[in-house]
Amino acid sequence: MIPGLHINTVAELLYYFGVGGFGGVVLLYILYGISVALDSIYSIALNIPDGATGIAPTAAQQLSAKGEVGRGVYSYLMGGIIAVGASIVLIPLLLMLMPVLQPLLQANMFLVILFVASLMLLSDFSIANLAAFIIAGLFGFFVLNADTSGNLIFPMFVGFFTLPMLMLKTRALGVEAKYKAKINWKIPILATLVTAFAYLIPGVATPTIIVVLAGLFTRIKNDEFVTALGAINASNLIFSILMIDIIGKARVGVAIVAQNMYHTFIFGDLMLALIGAAAFGITALLILHYLPNAIRFFSPFTHPLMKFVLALYLALLVFLINGAFGILILGMATIIGTLVLLIRARRTTLIGSIILNSLSYYFGK
Protein backbone atom coordinates (compact mmCIF):
# COMPACT_ATOMS: atom_id res chain seq x y z
CA MET A 1 0.00 0.00 0.00
CA ILE A 2 3.06 2.31 0.10
CA PRO A 3 4.06 3.83 -3.27
CA GLY A 4 7.68 3.33 -4.25
CA LEU A 5 8.11 0.18 -2.15
CA HIS A 6 9.07 -2.71 -4.43
CA ILE A 7 7.73 -6.22 -3.80
CA ASN A 8 11.30 -7.55 -3.47
CA THR A 9 11.74 -5.29 -0.45
CA VAL A 10 8.43 -6.46 0.99
CA ALA A 11 9.58 -10.05 0.55
CA GLU A 12 12.88 -9.36 2.30
CA LEU A 13 11.11 -7.63 5.19
CA LEU A 14 8.65 -10.51 5.63
CA TYR A 15 11.50 -13.00 5.65
CA TYR A 16 13.52 -10.81 8.04
CA PHE A 17 10.62 -10.80 10.52
CA GLY A 18 10.33 -14.60 10.40
CA VAL A 19 7.45 -15.18 7.99
CA GLY A 20 7.89 -18.63 6.42
CA GLY A 21 6.32 -21.95 5.48
CA PHE A 22 3.90 -22.51 2.64
CA GLY A 23 1.47 -20.06 4.23
CA GLY A 24 4.19 -17.43 4.16
CA VAL A 25 4.87 -17.81 0.44
CA VAL A 26 1.12 -17.78 -0.28
CA LEU A 27 0.87 -14.47 1.61
CA LEU A 28 3.89 -13.16 -0.30
CA TYR A 29 2.40 -13.95 -3.71
CA ILE A 30 -0.98 -12.51 -2.75
CA LEU A 31 0.82 -9.28 -1.84
CA TYR A 32 2.80 -9.55 -5.08
CA GLY A 33 -0.39 -9.75 -7.16
CA ILE A 34 -1.96 -6.82 -5.32
CA SER A 35 1.18 -4.72 -5.70
CA VAL A 36 1.32 -5.28 -9.47
CA ALA A 37 -2.26 -4.03 -9.78
CA LEU A 38 -1.66 -1.03 -7.49
CA ASP A 39 1.36 -0.06 -9.59
CA SER A 40 -1.16 1.06 -12.21
CA ILE A 41 -2.19 3.88 -9.87
CA TYR A 42 1.25 4.62 -8.43
CA SER A 43 3.23 4.74 -11.67
CA ILE A 44 0.53 5.87 -14.14
CA ALA A 45 -1.86 8.11 -12.22
CA LEU A 46 0.37 9.48 -9.45
CA ASN A 47 3.78 9.21 -11.18
CA ILE A 48 5.26 7.45 -8.15
CA PRO A 49 7.05 4.46 -9.66
CA ASP A 50 9.08 1.76 -7.96
CA GLY A 51 12.16 0.15 -9.46
CA ALA A 52 10.03 -2.07 -11.69
CA THR A 53 7.92 0.66 -13.25
CA GLY A 54 10.42 3.50 -13.31
CA ILE A 55 10.01 4.00 -17.05
CA ALA A 56 6.20 4.13 -16.95
CA PRO A 57 5.80 7.86 -16.14
CA THR A 58 7.51 8.71 -19.44
CA ALA A 59 4.38 7.68 -21.33
CA ALA A 60 2.00 8.43 -18.44
CA GLN A 61 2.94 12.11 -18.38
CA GLN A 62 2.15 12.41 -22.09
CA LEU A 63 -1.23 10.75 -21.55
CA SER A 64 -2.01 13.01 -18.58
CA ALA A 65 -1.15 16.08 -20.68
CA LYS A 66 -4.00 15.02 -22.97
CA GLY A 67 -6.34 14.32 -20.04
CA GLU A 68 -6.14 10.53 -20.49
CA VAL A 69 -5.05 9.34 -17.04
CA GLY A 70 -7.89 6.82 -16.82
CA ARG A 71 -6.98 5.48 -20.25
CA GLY A 72 -3.43 4.89 -19.03
CA VAL A 73 -4.51 2.97 -15.92
CA TYR A 74 -7.07 0.99 -17.94
CA SER A 75 -4.46 0.10 -20.58
CA TYR A 76 -1.94 -1.01 -17.95
CA LEU A 77 -4.40 -3.25 -16.13
CA MET A 78 -5.94 -4.76 -19.25
CA GLY A 79 -2.47 -5.45 -20.61
CA GLY A 80 -1.70 -7.24 -17.37
CA ILE A 81 -4.90 -9.31 -17.47
CA ILE A 82 -4.19 -10.43 -21.05
CA ALA A 83 -0.58 -11.18 -20.14
CA VAL A 84 -1.52 -13.38 -17.20
CA GLY A 85 -3.70 -15.52 -19.47
CA ALA A 86 -1.00 -15.67 -22.15
CA SER A 87 1.64 -16.61 -19.57
CA ILE A 88 -0.40 -19.57 -18.36
CA VAL A 89 -0.96 -20.79 -21.93
CA LEU A 90 2.78 -20.48 -22.69
CA ILE A 91 3.92 -22.63 -19.75
CA PRO A 92 3.96 -26.02 -21.61
CA LEU A 93 5.81 -24.46 -24.57
CA LEU A 94 8.38 -22.82 -22.31
CA LEU A 95 8.98 -26.08 -20.46
CA MET A 96 9.98 -27.65 -23.79
CA LEU A 97 11.89 -24.80 -25.46
CA MET A 98 13.80 -23.02 -22.73
CA PRO A 99 16.01 -25.93 -21.58
CA VAL A 100 17.12 -26.28 -25.23
CA LEU A 101 17.71 -22.56 -25.85
CA GLN A 102 19.40 -21.80 -22.53
CA PRO A 103 22.79 -23.43 -23.39
CA LEU A 104 22.85 -21.68 -26.79
CA LEU A 105 22.29 -18.26 -25.23
CA GLN A 106 24.77 -18.94 -22.43
CA ALA A 107 27.45 -19.70 -25.01
CA ASN A 108 26.84 -16.36 -26.75
CA MET A 109 25.82 -14.20 -23.81
CA PHE A 110 28.25 -11.38 -24.60
CA LEU A 111 26.67 -10.91 -28.04
CA VAL A 112 23.14 -11.15 -26.61
CA ILE A 113 23.76 -8.44 -24.00
CA LEU A 114 25.60 -6.30 -26.56
CA PHE A 115 22.53 -6.55 -28.82
CA VAL A 116 20.23 -5.43 -25.98
CA ALA A 117 22.48 -2.45 -25.23
CA SER A 118 22.67 -1.48 -28.91
CA LEU A 119 18.90 -1.75 -29.26
CA MET A 120 18.40 0.65 -26.37
CA LEU A 121 20.87 3.25 -27.57
CA LEU A 122 20.16 3.16 -31.30
CA SER A 123 16.35 3.21 -30.99
CA ASP A 124 16.60 6.88 -29.96
CA PHE A 125 20.24 7.92 -30.16
CA SER A 126 21.43 11.19 -28.64
CA ILE A 127 24.53 12.44 -26.84
CA ALA A 128 22.48 12.83 -23.65
CA ASN A 129 21.31 9.20 -23.80
CA LEU A 130 24.82 7.92 -24.48
CA ALA A 131 26.29 10.00 -21.65
CA ALA A 132 23.60 8.80 -19.20
CA PHE A 133 24.22 5.17 -20.24
CA ILE A 134 27.98 5.44 -19.69
CA ILE A 135 27.71 7.30 -16.36
CA ALA A 136 25.12 4.83 -15.05
CA GLY A 137 27.27 1.95 -16.33
CA LEU A 138 30.38 3.12 -14.53
CA PHE A 139 28.41 3.74 -11.35
CA GLY A 140 26.74 0.33 -11.61
CA PHE A 141 30.12 -1.34 -12.13
CA PHE A 142 31.29 0.22 -8.87
CA VAL A 143 28.10 -0.71 -6.99
CA LEU A 144 27.79 -4.30 -8.21
CA ASN A 145 31.45 -5.03 -7.53
CA ALA A 146 31.55 -3.37 -4.11
CA ASP A 147 32.98 -5.57 -1.38
CA THR A 148 29.81 -5.88 0.68
CA SER A 149 27.36 -8.64 1.56
CA GLY A 150 24.33 -6.40 1.08
CA ASN A 151 22.20 -6.19 -2.06
CA LEU A 152 22.93 -2.70 -3.34
CA ILE A 153 20.60 -2.89 -6.35
CA PHE A 154 17.72 -1.71 -4.15
CA PRO A 155 19.28 1.64 -3.10
CA MET A 156 20.67 2.13 -6.60
CA PHE A 157 17.28 1.66 -8.27
CA VAL A 158 15.42 3.72 -5.65
CA GLY A 159 17.90 6.52 -6.36
CA PHE A 160 17.76 6.13 -10.13
CA PHE A 161 14.02 5.85 -10.57
CA THR A 162 11.88 6.50 -7.50
CA LEU A 163 13.25 9.54 -5.67
CA PRO A 164 13.87 11.80 -8.71
CA MET A 165 10.37 11.15 -10.07
CA LEU A 166 8.84 11.46 -6.61
CA MET A 167 10.40 14.86 -5.97
CA LEU A 168 10.29 16.42 -9.44
CA LYS A 169 7.40 14.91 -11.38
CA THR A 170 4.72 13.64 -9.01
CA ARG A 171 1.35 15.36 -9.07
CA ALA A 172 -2.28 14.41 -8.47
CA LEU A 173 -4.38 13.81 -11.57
CA GLY A 174 -8.08 13.47 -12.26
CA VAL A 175 -9.82 10.77 -14.28
CA GLU A 176 -11.66 11.54 -17.51
CA ALA A 177 -15.30 10.47 -17.87
CA LYS A 178 -14.68 7.95 -20.69
CA TYR A 179 -11.40 6.15 -20.17
CA LYS A 180 -11.99 2.67 -21.59
CA ALA A 181 -10.03 1.96 -24.76
CA LYS A 182 -9.71 -0.81 -27.31
CA ILE A 183 -6.67 -2.89 -26.41
CA ASN A 184 -4.39 -4.18 -29.16
CA TRP A 185 -4.02 -7.74 -27.88
CA LYS A 186 -0.84 -8.30 -29.91
CA ILE A 187 1.09 -5.85 -27.71
CA PRO A 188 0.65 -7.62 -24.33
CA ILE A 189 1.17 -11.04 -25.91
CA LEU A 190 4.43 -9.92 -27.53
CA ALA A 191 5.53 -8.31 -24.27
CA THR A 192 4.73 -11.51 -22.38
CA LEU A 193 6.69 -13.68 -24.80
CA VAL A 194 9.75 -11.42 -24.76
CA THR A 195 9.63 -11.21 -20.96
CA ALA A 196 9.69 -14.99 -20.67
CA PHE A 197 12.77 -15.34 -22.86
CA ALA A 198 14.48 -12.41 -21.13
CA TYR A 199 14.87 -14.75 -18.14
CA LEU A 200 17.49 -16.61 -20.14
CA ILE A 201 19.74 -13.55 -19.82
CA PRO A 202 21.41 -13.44 -16.39
CA GLY A 203 20.71 -10.21 -14.56
CA VAL A 204 17.69 -9.36 -16.69
CA ALA A 205 14.51 -9.76 -14.66
CA THR A 206 12.11 -7.55 -12.79
CA PRO A 207 12.85 -4.71 -12.16
CA THR A 208 15.36 -4.71 -14.99
CA ILE A 209 13.03 -6.30 -17.59
CA ILE A 210 10.70 -3.31 -17.44
CA VAL A 211 13.45 -0.84 -18.19
CA VAL A 212 15.27 -2.85 -20.87
CA LEU A 213 12.26 -4.10 -22.79
CA ALA A 214 10.60 -0.70 -22.70
CA GLY A 215 13.04 0.18 -25.48
CA LEU A 216 11.25 -2.32 -27.73
CA PHE A 217 8.03 -0.31 -27.49
CA THR A 218 9.25 3.25 -27.90
CA ARG A 219 7.76 3.61 -31.38
CA ILE A 220 4.19 2.70 -30.46
CA LYS A 221 1.42 4.88 -29.03
CA ASN A 222 1.57 5.92 -25.39
CA ASP A 223 -1.39 3.81 -24.29
CA GLU A 224 0.11 0.75 -26.03
CA PHE A 225 3.43 1.49 -24.35
CA VAL A 226 1.66 1.41 -20.99
CA THR A 227 -0.20 -1.76 -22.03
CA ALA A 228 3.16 -3.44 -22.71
CA LEU A 229 4.52 -2.36 -19.32
CA GLY A 230 1.45 -3.75 -17.57
CA ALA A 231 1.92 -7.02 -19.44
CA ILE A 232 5.61 -7.26 -18.54
CA ASN A 233 4.91 -6.56 -14.87
CA ALA A 234 1.94 -8.93 -14.60
CA SER A 235 3.51 -11.82 -16.53
CA ASN A 236 6.25 -11.91 -13.92
CA LEU A 237 3.65 -13.15 -11.45
CA ILE A 238 3.77 -16.39 -13.42
CA PHE A 239 7.36 -16.46 -14.65
CA SER A 240 9.12 -15.31 -11.47
CA ILE A 241 8.40 -18.53 -9.58
CA LEU A 242 8.01 -21.02 -12.46
CA MET A 243 11.43 -20.19 -13.92
CA ILE A 244 12.84 -22.17 -11.01
CA ASP A 245 11.33 -25.25 -12.64
CA ILE A 246 11.78 -24.18 -16.29
CA ILE A 247 15.43 -23.05 -16.30
CA GLY A 248 16.42 -24.23 -12.81
CA LYS A 249 17.15 -20.74 -11.47
CA ALA A 250 15.29 -18.01 -9.61
CA ARG A 251 16.34 -14.64 -11.03
CA VAL A 252 13.80 -12.43 -9.25
CA GLY A 253 14.17 -11.38 -5.63
CA VAL A 254 10.62 -12.29 -4.65
CA ALA A 255 11.04 -15.84 -6.00
CA ILE A 256 14.39 -16.27 -4.25
CA VAL A 257 12.86 -15.21 -0.94
CA ALA A 258 9.86 -17.48 -1.56
CA GLN A 259 12.19 -20.46 -1.96
CA ASN A 260 14.01 -19.51 1.23
CA MET A 261 10.69 -19.35 3.05
CA TYR A 262 9.54 -22.74 1.81
CA HIS A 263 11.07 -24.85 -0.97
CA THR A 264 8.37 -25.99 -3.35
CA PHE A 265 8.34 -28.01 -6.56
CA ILE A 266 6.58 -27.45 -9.87
CA PHE A 267 3.01 -28.05 -8.68
CA GLY A 268 3.50 -25.85 -5.64
CA ASP A 269 5.15 -23.17 -7.76
CA LEU A 270 2.28 -23.31 -10.25
CA MET A 271 -0.17 -22.89 -7.39
CA LEU A 272 1.74 -19.84 -6.13
CA ALA A 273 1.76 -18.34 -9.64
CA LEU A 274 -2.00 -18.84 -9.98
CA ILE A 275 -2.62 -17.38 -6.51
CA GLY A 276 -0.60 -14.29 -7.41
CA ALA A 277 -2.43 -14.00 -10.74
CA ALA A 278 -5.81 -14.31 -9.01
CA ALA A 279 -4.86 -11.60 -6.48
CA PHE A 280 -3.82 -9.35 -9.36
CA GLY A 281 -7.01 -10.02 -11.32
CA ILE A 282 -9.33 -9.32 -8.39
CA THR A 283 -7.47 -6.14 -7.43
CA ALA A 284 -7.36 -4.98 -11.06
CA LEU A 285 -11.12 -5.42 -11.47
CA LEU A 286 -11.78 -3.54 -8.23
CA ILE A 287 -9.54 -0.67 -9.33
CA LEU A 288 -11.23 -0.47 -12.72
CA HIS A 289 -14.68 -0.46 -11.14
CA TYR A 290 -13.80 2.24 -8.59
CA LEU A 291 -11.05 4.01 -10.54
CA PRO A 292 -11.77 7.68 -9.64
CA ASN A 293 -12.20 6.78 -5.96
CA ALA A 294 -9.04 4.65 -5.98
CA ILE A 295 -6.93 7.50 -7.35
CA ARG A 296 -8.41 9.97 -4.87
CA PHE A 297 -7.65 7.56 -2.02
CA PHE A 298 -3.93 7.53 -2.86
CA SER A 299 -3.64 11.17 -3.95
CA PRO A 300 -2.41 12.39 -0.49
CA PHE A 301 0.93 10.78 -1.36
CA THR A 302 1.43 13.59 -3.89
CA HIS A 303 1.39 16.28 -1.16
CA PRO A 304 4.90 17.76 -0.64
CA LEU A 305 4.96 16.75 3.02
CA MET A 306 3.92 13.19 2.22
CA LYS A 307 6.53 12.99 -0.54
CA PHE A 308 9.17 14.03 2.00
CA VAL A 309 7.91 11.44 4.50
CA LEU A 310 7.92 8.75 1.79
CA ALA A 311 11.47 9.66 0.75
CA LEU A 312 12.57 9.55 4.39
CA TYR A 313 10.86 6.18 4.79
CA LEU A 314 12.66 4.74 1.76
CA ALA A 315 15.98 6.10 3.03
CA LEU A 316 15.34 4.45 6.40
CA LEU A 317 14.63 1.14 4.64
CA VAL A 318 17.90 1.46 2.75
CA PHE A 319 19.77 2.15 6.00
CA LEU A 320 18.19 -0.85 7.74
CA ILE A 321 18.98 -3.17 4.82
CA ASN A 322 22.30 -1.77 3.57
CA GLY A 323 23.63 0.49 6.32
CA ALA A 324 25.49 3.77 5.82
CA PHE A 325 27.09 2.57 2.58
CA GLY A 326 23.60 1.99 1.17
CA ILE A 327 22.71 5.61 1.97
CA LEU A 328 25.81 6.73 0.07
CA ILE A 329 24.75 4.65 -2.94
CA LEU A 330 21.21 6.01 -2.66
CA GLY A 331 22.44 9.60 -2.62
CA MET A 332 24.78 9.18 -5.60
CA ALA A 333 22.15 7.29 -7.59
CA THR A 334 19.58 10.00 -6.86
CA ILE A 335 21.95 12.65 -8.22
CA ILE A 336 22.46 10.62 -11.40
CA GLY A 337 18.74 9.93 -11.77
CA THR A 338 17.93 13.62 -11.28
CA LEU A 339 20.52 14.68 -13.86
CA VAL A 340 19.00 12.25 -16.36
CA LEU A 341 15.63 13.96 -15.88
CA LEU A 342 17.13 17.43 -16.16
CA ILE A 343 19.03 16.72 -19.40
CA ARG A 344 15.94 14.90 -20.72
CA ALA A 345 17.77 11.67 -21.44
CA ARG A 346 15.73 8.47 -21.64
CA ARG A 347 15.48 6.78 -18.26
CA THR A 348 15.98 3.41 -19.95
CA THR A 349 19.64 4.38 -20.32
CA LEU A 350 20.09 3.93 -16.57
CA ILE A 351 20.02 0.18 -17.20
CA GLY A 352 23.61 0.69 -18.30
CA SER A 353 24.30 0.16 -14.60
CA ILE A 354 23.52 -3.52 -15.15
CA ILE A 355 24.50 -4.00 -18.79
CA LEU A 356 28.09 -2.68 -18.68
CA ASN A 357 28.82 -4.86 -15.68
CA SER A 358 27.37 -7.90 -17.48
CA LEU A 359 29.38 -7.14 -20.64
CA SER A 360 32.52 -6.94 -18.55
CA TYR A 361 31.72 -10.28 -16.92
CA TYR A 362 31.10 -12.13 -20.19
CA PHE A 363 33.85 -10.48 -22.24
CA GLY A 364 36.36 -13.14 -23.32
CA LYS A 365 34.39 -16.00 -21.74
Side-chain angles (χ1 to χ4, degrees), residues 55 112-134 136-137 157 160-161 201 204 207-219 340 345-356 359:
I55 191 63
V112 172
I113 299 175
L114 185 62
F115 170 76
V116 172
S118 301
L119 176 68
M120 287 175 48
L121 291 174
L122 295 178
S123 62
D124 185 19
F125 181 79
S126 71
I127 298 300
N129 288 339
L130 180 61
F133 182 87
I134 293 173
F157 270 66
F160 277 166
F161 300 110
I201 306 174
V204 180
T208 315
I209 282 177
I210 300 288
V211 187
V212 172
L213 296 187
L216 295 175
F217 305 103
T218 54
R219 299 304 179 189
V340 167
R346 283 175 54 194
R347 283 156 57 79
T348 54
T349 56
L350 291 170
I351 201 54
S353 58
I354 302 292
I355 288 180
L356 283 189
L359 285 172

Side-chain angles (χ1 to χ4, degrees), residues 158-228:
V158 169
F160 277 166
F161 300 110
T162 303
L163 291 185
M165 291 297 295
L166 180 66
M167 295 305 174
L168 299 180
K169 297 291 185 179
T170 303
R171 57 195 178 97
L173 300 167
V175 178
E176 65 274 24
K178 295 182 180 180
Y179 54 81
K180 293 184 179 180
K182 183 178 180 180
I183 302 297
N184 182 355
W185 58 268
K186 295 179 183 178
I187 297 296
I189 290 178
L190 174 62
T192 301
L193 187 62
V194 175
T195 300
F197 284 97
Y199 273 86
L200 295 175
I201 306 174
V204 180
T206 301
T208 315
I209 282 177
I210 300 288
V211 187
V212 172
L213 296 187
L216 295 175
F217 305 103
T218 54
R219 299 304 179 189
I220 62 178
K221 295 184 295 185
N222 287 323
D223 55 337
E224 292 180 341
F225 183 103
V226 173
T227 300

Side-chain angles (χ1 to χ4, degrees), residues 273-309:
L274 294 177
I275 288 171
F280 166 77
I282 293 170
T283 307
L285 292 175
L286 287 172
I287 290 174
L288 289 173
H289 188 72
Y290 299 104
L291 184 55
N293 293 331
I295 292 178
R296 278 197 298 269
F297 178 81
F298 287 101
S299 61
F301 281 105
T302 62
H303 189 277
L305 177 60
M306 286 300 297
K307 290 197 290 184
F308 175 77
V309 170

